Amino acid sequence: MPDAMSHLAKIGPCPQLSGQGSAAHGRVLVVDDNPESRGILLRYLADRQFPAVGTTGNDLARRLERASFSFVVVDVRATHGDGVELLRQIRARSEVPVILVAGQICNDLDRIVCLELGADDVLRAPLNLRELIARMRATLRRQEAGRRAVAAGPRGGYRFDGWVLDQRTRTLKNPAGQTVYVTKTEYALLVALLETPRRPLARAQLMRATRAHEDIHDRTIDAQVLRLRRKIEADPAAPQMIRTGRGRGYMLDASVETLP
């Protein structure tokens, strides 16, 4: 990871944010097959109150099974394995936030695939270490906000076209009463649509609602809408509930009842 090494040599200490000590962060797992670049990133994280341990792609599964982490950073460029496969290994074992560091040839479609498979962020080379830290802190802030919202107590839910979304348990049930699994992003997308029935929401609004980064292509939302349609529409090719507004994003075309 020569770009990260040269960048590290040029920057000084990063100012610490109050209330963001190591106890709050927990441990970070750095996945990188190159011992030199892995060591540089481990030291950089430790200097900024992110205690970290390193591993290789081949040892990733064992590490996840033996310990818990608050974050995983995978340098796809420096691992001999497939980045998508490594991401699948992580998601099969944990919901820990994951940032992938990809090469310069990583395009928008590659990033969308990784995000759909469960990555929380994808950074392109050359890696800016300050941006990596900023992205990690932003992800942890969103995670903490979600925990506080859950701790605040039950929030009811919604009933629409025979479907029920229970926000207390974060479960979606079809008209037959069967639970239908939705990802965190699909859940956030559905809640945003349910809160504004029969009113078009622009892609930018949906991206903010799902907490996607603004620099991600609009096709990210299009892909998520397609996946959600496959789960709740009788015919996803001819959707009746989640409709496309011509040039105006998407809207939920259904009567919605708010549950106490």
Side-chain angles (χ1 to χ4, degrees), residues 92-109:
R93 295 167 174 82
S94 174
E95 287 297 316
V96 61
V98 178
I99 288 183
L100 298 183
V101 181
Q104 290 178 314
I105 61 173
C106 175
N107 57 37
D108 287 334
L109 182 58

Side-chain angles (χ1 to χ4, degrees), residues 39 85 104 190:
E85 177 55 33
Q104 290 178 314
L190 182 56

Side-chain angles (χ1 to χ4, degrees), residues 209-226:
T210 57
R211 298 190 175 96
H213 294 298
E214 293 183 0
D215 60 344
I216 292 175
H217 199 279
D218 285 354
R219 285 180 297 177
T220 305
I221 290 298
D222 295 336
Q224 294 294 345
V225 168
L226 177 59

Side-chain angles (χ1 to χ4, degrees), residues 111-124:
R111 298 178 74 200
I112 290 170
V113 169
C114 291
L115 291 165
E116 288 183 342
L117 290 174
D120 290 83
D121 214 334
V122 181
L123 300 182
R124 290 193 184 101

Side-chain angles (χ1 to χ4, degrees), residues 26-134:
R27 289 198 305 168
V28 179
L29 180 64
V30 174
V31 185
D32 185 338
D33 287 354
N34 185 312
E36 185 177 4
S37 59
R38 185 174 67 236
I40 287 175
L41 184 51
L42 291 175
R43 290 191 295 274
Y44 186 85
L45 290 169
D47 287 345
R48 281 138 186 88
Q49 304 303 307
F50 280 91
V53 296
T55 189
T56 63
N58 289 336
D59 203 33
L60 171 61
R62 185 183 67 86
R63 280 283 193 172
L64 289 174
E65 289 169 355
R66 294 182 61 179
S68 60
F69 298 92
S70 63
F71 228 107
V72 177
V73 178
V74 182
D75 193 329
V76 178
R77 303 166 299 163
T79 54
H80 298 301
D82 179 358
V84 170
E85 177 55 33
L86 292 176
L87 183 57
R88 286 197 178 104
Q89 287 184 36
I90 296 170
R91 281 293 164 255
R93 295 167 174 82
S94 174
E95 287 297 316
V96 61
V98 178
I99 288 183
L100 298 183
V101 181
Q104 290 178 314
I105 61 173
C106 175
N107 57 37
D108 287 334
L109 182 58
D110 294 330
R111 298 178 74 200
I112 290 170
V113 169
C114 291
L115 291 165
E116 288 183 342
L117 290 174
D120 290 83
D121 214 334
V122 181
L123 300 182
R124 290 193 184 101
L127 176 63
N128 184 313
L129 295 176
R130 282 183 173 172
E131 180 184 7
L132 172 63
I133 292 290

